[in-house]
Amino acid sequence: MPEMVRITDVSPRDGLQNEPGSIPTNDKARLVELLVDALVDEVELTSFVSPKRVPQLADADDVLENVLPFKRPDVLYSALVPNEKGLGRLLSASERAGMPLVDKIALFTAASEEFNQQNTGASIAESIERFALVVRKARDNGLKVRAYISCVVRCPYQGDIAPEKVAEVVQKLSELEPDEIDLGDTIGAATPETIVAALDAARGANAWAESQDAETWVVHLHDTHGRAGDCVEAALDAGIRSFDGSAGGLGGCPFAAGPGERAPGNIATRTLIEYIHAKGYETRVNTDRLERASLFAQELVEQAQDQHFGGTGLG
Ligand code: HMG
Ligand code: MG
């Protein structure tokens, strides 16, 4: 039996957070419905960050309520949460609905001080200190916890990031004992060598990290230079069995774009799966249905861009 690899589709969050036009909540919910139908293992639905900083996801509460009817027990729902305020919004929405609206929260910090300042207005240490209470409350409410580390290979502001820095952040995060640590190549700069170096540093960071099994480690690639597929192969060889992709290859962190540039898109979930299958591993994703989700995701973004840039396409 081929070994299974876990797929999280982050398009409703990482894919849409950077779009300039307005995307109706119903359309976001339809994208989630299509992803659930395609049987990805997990969908990252939205984020509870400051609506001033990320206006496209200001409807996070409504998205969660709208996607409740499509929920299947075998497809996890997760949402990005930066702080106590974000968790409060999420828990209030769950209270209103009379049931938990997600299975997991995703916290985020970085291996680059400058990126973390730009992204969250806090140092790496401050951001992790803020997480302690959030993790405790999330656990009290039965939620699993993912912790992203951005810029594990390179930062748009600071340049190359040493693997030792990744290890340092894992050491700090390990005090919170997250269920998952997700290594983000935020600007798509990784090569097979550098992503494996970051992974090795993370998994060897301390006794806690060394004791974790494959379920703890996730790889989140952006595909700026067309190397993301090679990085998937290398990560599989290094024992990684959980990856993030984005339907239609949408995506990018708004605070990772250079002046006048758009942020690099995530690896397309279809491409991710093709690389995984080519290496002899299995996923449970239905690729025909994923195609429908991908086409819909691309249409959504094109419509939003046409609306924003007056029909000129990307602008
Ligand atoms: P802060 O410390 O309050 O500071 O928020 P701030 O100055 O940035 O924000 C201030 C305003 O936001 C205040 O409102 C707060 O109350 C409000 P005001 O007084 O001005 O009216 N606020 C909130 N509102 C709603 N929900 C909240 C919330 N928190 C504060 N949860 C924070 C710090 C991190 C929340 C803020 O800076 C922020 O939202 N930043 C955006 C970060 C973001 O969403 N980045 C993109 C996602 S990360 C990513 O894409 C990388 C990843 O894909 C992995 C990879 O590729 O590497 C995950
Ligand atoms: Mg990302």
Side-chain angles (χ1 to χ4, degrees):
M1 276 279 285
E3 219 181 313
M4 297 298 283
V5 173
R6 193 169 187 281
I7 304 294
T8 299
D9 193 291
V10 297
S11 60
R13 195 280 302 171
D14 210 352
L16 300 183
Q17 70 184 4
N18 200 23
E19 286 311 313
S22 142
I23 297 173
T25 307
N26 283 347
D27 284 342
K28 294 176 181 175
R30 173 71 180 146
L31 173 59
V32 173
E33 182 179 17
L34 291 170
L35 291 167
V36 171
D37 201 40
L39 283 181
V40 297
D41 295 277
E42 179 172 333
V43 186
E44 197 170 81
L45 302 172
T46 184
S47 68
F48 287 86
V49 294
S50 159
K52 284 187 194 147
R53 305 271 332 262
V54 183
Q56 191 54 266
L57 303 185
D59 60 351
D61 315 46
D62 291 339
V63 169
L64 259 48
E65 283 170 32
N66 275 269
V67 299
L68 196 53
F70 318 132
K71 181 79 169 93
R72 291 174 50 124
D74 58 344
V75 178
L76 294 197
Y77 279 176
S78 55
L80 217 62
V81 167
N83 55 14
E84 273 188 84
K85 187 165 187 171
L87 183 64
R89 287 171 57 204
L90 166 61
L91 294 177
S92 303
S94 296
E95 218 170 277
R96 282 196 301 276
M99 64 181 75
L101 293 174
V102 297
D103 305 284
K104 189 189 284 176
I105 61 161
L107 307 164
F108 52 101
T109 184
S112 152
E113 285 294 349
E114 187 54 35
F115 179 84
N116 209 52
Q117 280 293 347
Q118 296 283 340
N119 201 31
T120 69
S123 70
I124 297 168
E126 281 164 355
S127 68
I128 296 174
E129 277 159 29
R130 286 179 190 171
F131 293 161
L133 198 57
V134 179
V135 169
R136 204 169 330 131
K137 277 195 190 164
R139 291 245 161 79
D140 288 348
N141 283 277
L143 303 175
K144 287 182 184 291
V145 176
R146 161 180 287 200
Y148 280 102
I149 307 176
S150 287
C151 300
V152 294
V153 165
R154 192 174 299 158
C155 164
Y157 309 103
Q158 276 183 229
D160 288 347
I161 298 294
E164 292 74 27
K165 192 68 200 174
V166 178
E168 230 176 82
V169 180
V170 172
Q171 281 161 20
K172 290 200 181 87
L173 282 173
S174 69
E175 287 166 29
L176 306 173
E177 300 199 25
D179 298 287
E180 289 175 340
I181 292 190
D182 192 337
L183 301 188
D185 174 25
T186 316
I187 56 169
T191 62
E193 294 74 26
T194 54
I195 196 71
V196 170
L199 272 168
D200 287 347
R203 291 181 301 187
N206 59 10
W208 177 86
E210 281 173 3
S211 71
Q212 299 305 300
D213 56 25
E215 281 176 25
T216 302
W217 306 103
V218 189
V219 168
H220 175 107
L221 297 159
H222 288 252
D223 202 9
T224 320
H225 303 293
R227 298 301 312 272
D230 299 336
C231 292
V232 171
E233 288 183 342
L236 284 167
D237 286 343
I240 295 299
R241 299 290 179 265
S242 184
F243 291 88
D244 298 341
S246 171
L250 312 184
C253 173
F255 311 103
E261 287 174 7
R262 283 175 60 78
N266 294 72
I267 185 169
T269 306
R270 186 183 56 192
T271 309
L272 171 64
I273 287 172
E274 281 168 4
Y275 273 88
I276 291 170
H277 291 174
K279 288 285 282 181
Y281 297 93
E282 270 304 328
T283 67
R284 56 173 223 156
V285 179
N286 178 312
T287 45
D288 291 337
R289 293 188 196 165
L290 177 67
E291 195 54 26
R292 279 170 53 204
S294 306
L295 289 172
F296 185 75
Q298 280 165 340
E299 270 168 35
L300 274 190
V301 167
E302 276 160 24
Q303 275 167 21
Q305 285 170 355
D306 281 354
Q307 177 200 33
H308 186 78
F309 295 109
T312 58
L314 185 61

